[in-house]
């Protein structure tokens, strides 16, 4: 639900202090313009189930728009770095 998503995003953002949690991890593997944690703008679900999303805040990290896009554009690399977990079967 929309309310569940908002609660998820708010909890993930508060836990991270609003700083991207993915860029410091990605900077170890790819060239990131600013590898220090910078302010993010999206809650990212690390683990997704087919047909549903797990909105438990422990399943989320806060990301900047660039990092969130990179994670989804490079799923195999994101999985190797622990930023994405495969769908449950």
């Amino acid at each position: 639900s929309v309310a569940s998503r908002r609660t998820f995003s708010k909890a993930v953002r508060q836990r991270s202090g609003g700083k991207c949690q993915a860029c410091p991890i990605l900077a170890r593997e790819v060239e990131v313009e600013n590898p220090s944690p910078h302010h993010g703008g999206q809650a990212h679900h690390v683990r997704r189930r087919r047909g549903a999303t797990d909105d438990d805040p422990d399943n989320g990290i806060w990301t900047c728009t660039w990092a969130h896009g990179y994670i989804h554009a490079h799923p195999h690399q994101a999985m190797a770095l622990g930023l994405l977990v495969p769908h449950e079967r």
Side-chain angles (χ1 to χ4, degrees):
S1 77
V2 172
S4 177
R5 282 292 194 107
R6 285 186 185 142
T7 301
F8 169 78
S9 290
K10 184 177 180 179
V12 172
R13 183 180 64 242
Q14 286 177 339
R15 185 184 63 218
S16 73
K19 293 184 179 181
C20 181
Q21 296 173 283
C23 278
I25 296 167
L26 289 169
R28 296 180 212 149
E29 301 292 325
V30 299
E31 188 173 329
V32 176
E33 192 172 304
N34 179 6
S36 63
H38 53 281
H39 291 280
Q42 299 173 326
H44 164 66
H45 289 87
V46 176
R47 178 181 294 112
R48 295 181 69 93
R49 298 186 312 248
R50 291 197 189 274
T53 302
D54 181 357
D55 285 331
D56 180 338
D58 289 338
N59 179 40
I61 61 170
W62 194 249
T63 64
C64 66
T65 303
W66 178 86
H68 198 208
Y70 190 92
I71 289 166
H72 288 288
H74 302 90
H76 295 293
Q77 185 176 23
M79 284 181 211
L81 295 171
L83 297 170
L84 194 61
V85 174
H87 291 282
E88 295 176 359
R89 298 206 185 256

